[in-house]
Structures are given as structure tokens and as C-alpha cells.
Amino acid sequence: MQPTVLEQIGKRKEDNVVYTVTANCQDCYRCVRFCPVKAIKVSGGQACIEDDLCIKCGTCVRECPQNAKTIRSSTEEVKALLASGRKVAVSVAPSFAAVFDGWRTTRIPSALRRLGFEYVSETAEGAKLITEESFRSTTGGNICTACPAVVNYIEKYRPEHLDSMIPIVSPMVAHGRALKKRLGAEWAVVFVGPCAAKKQEALRPEHQDAIDAVLTFTELLDWLEQETIDLSTCTESDFESYGVLDEARLFPLQGGMLKTGGISCDGTEADVIHVSGAEDVMELLRCRHGNGSS
Ligand code: SF4
Ligand code: SF4
């Protein structure tokens, strides 16, 4: 059997997506205090992540003052994929506009083509697909499953809500599958997005057919710098996306799924609740247990 790209570069699928660079850790235990699910334990004086308990929310990475809590890098994996001769498409999460704002927004497609991606597309396409499908099948649940950290939290800590999760994949997975259907199964798809949890979501056995690797925006920025690709020298160009995506580009914002579905909602409705952040999600799930609305 052919070695996978991960095997070629000496990484294993089960390697933790979020881990500790022990040499950088100053044992301040800030990460222990901020982890929303208490997945970091002090062992031998060091703050270690217990992977079985971790929901990959990335809070410890953000809070660690020493950059000791780290998201596993996938840049070498993606470079190996591009070097393998396979055609590679990239799916860019809509939140890219917050990272590459203003004039940079229109240069990103060209910069990604310069890195070697042959098809440059927006994950907003997947957001549109899953929103339409979710609205068709609301009897199957009422908790949106677009965020893998929320899915991890429910699976690990609040299984009483499992039946309330809308049984539809995330925009990333839907888009990966749509791209492979459109371009051909021989194409690889790399997702670029904001968070660690997407790396773990892509590795789940049921998603292996959709996404071949995941980069964070930080990894993309570092890679562009390594290659000395300056966005100001990239031409303006468009993504190769299908359909009108204006509303779907708002999907990552609070209430964005409703906007994507063409539903105007100001957040005051009693039967629709938007929350973001681990603490608020946890609080909501504590409150809603037993009353069945979301
Ligand atoms: S916050 Fe960072 S430096 Fe402090 S204990 Fe955690 S990993 Fe170590
Ligand atoms: S990623 Fe989130 S859940 Fe995992 S150890 Fe860090 S703070 Fe805790």
C-alpha cells in the first residue's frame, strides 16, 4: 500500500493536534486555569494536555504567554502533497476576510496559486450547501454542528445532547466532498481556516474522503513569508467559486447560518439562540438540558 502523506513526513494521525512544547513552558499554569474543560493536568510539575479530555478549542494556545501550547503544523504535509504531483484544490474559510482585510482580500487567490494550488475556492460554498440541507431537515436536530469544538464537547461531556445535533456535516467537509465530486476524486483538497479543531475534524475516519490536510491562517501567513510572497506583488483575482456567496460569507458570524439561509434575525427571537465562545456554549447546554430548544 502507498504510504500516506502523513506517513511520508513521519507524522501519525493520532499525534495530538494541540500539544505542549515542554522546552518553552515556564510552568505558570495559566493554561490550566483557562482550559474550559479542565483537560490540562499538572504532571511532574508540567502542564500536560490529556488528549482524551481535550475538545481542541485552542484556548490554551491563545492564553499561553510562552507559545508553549501549540497547534500541530501541517505545512510540511501540504508541501509534500503539492510535491507529490497530485492536483490540489484549496478551500478557504470565510473568516479569511478578517485576517487578510482591505486590499489584501482580492490578492489571496493569486498568492495561493503561487504556492501551487491549482483550484482556489471558498468554503462559503459548503456553508451554503449545509444551510440549505439543515433547513430541509430540522426534525433531525437543532444544534448546528459547524464547529468541531462544540461537537467534541457534546460527544465528550454532554452526550444527552447528541440526538439534538443536526445530522449534517460542517461546511468544510461538505465543500471538500463537493470539490472532489466537481473536479474528480483524484484531486486532493486542503482547507485553510482559523482553528485547531478543524485539523482534528478532518482526521475523523468518517471525513477521510473529504479533506486531505488543514492549515491555519497563521500557518498560511508563515508559509507566504517563507516563500517571500508579498501580497502587494500578487495580482487581484477571483476565487473559483460556484454561485452567489454574498450571504454565505457571513456564516462564521453570530447568526450567520440564518443569514446564509436568507433569514433575517436580530437575535431577539425566543426560539433562536446564537452563542459563541466555550463558556457561553457550555452554559447554554447546561440550561437547555430538558427543555429542547436551541
Ligand atoms: S500557560 Fe504556557 S507556559 Fe504556562 S504552564 Fe501552560 S504551557 Fe506552560
Ligand atoms: S485546546 Fe482547549 S480543551 Fe484542549 S487543552 Fe487547550 S484549552 Fe483545553
Side-chain angles (χ1 to χ4, degrees), residues 170-183:
S170 71
M172 174 187 80
V173 172
H175 195 216
R177 287 182 180 151
L179 287 176
K180 290 190 183 207
K181 193 170 171 193
R182 181 184 308 160
L183 300 169

Side-chain angles (χ1 to χ4, degrees), residues 18 31 34-40 49 53-61 69:
V18 183
C31 56
F34 277 85
C35 175
V37 292
K38 306 296 170 220
I40 307 176
I49 296 174
L53 303 178
C54 173
I55 59 170
K56 325 294 184 227
C57 67
T59 304
C60 56
V61 177
K69 287 283 182 280

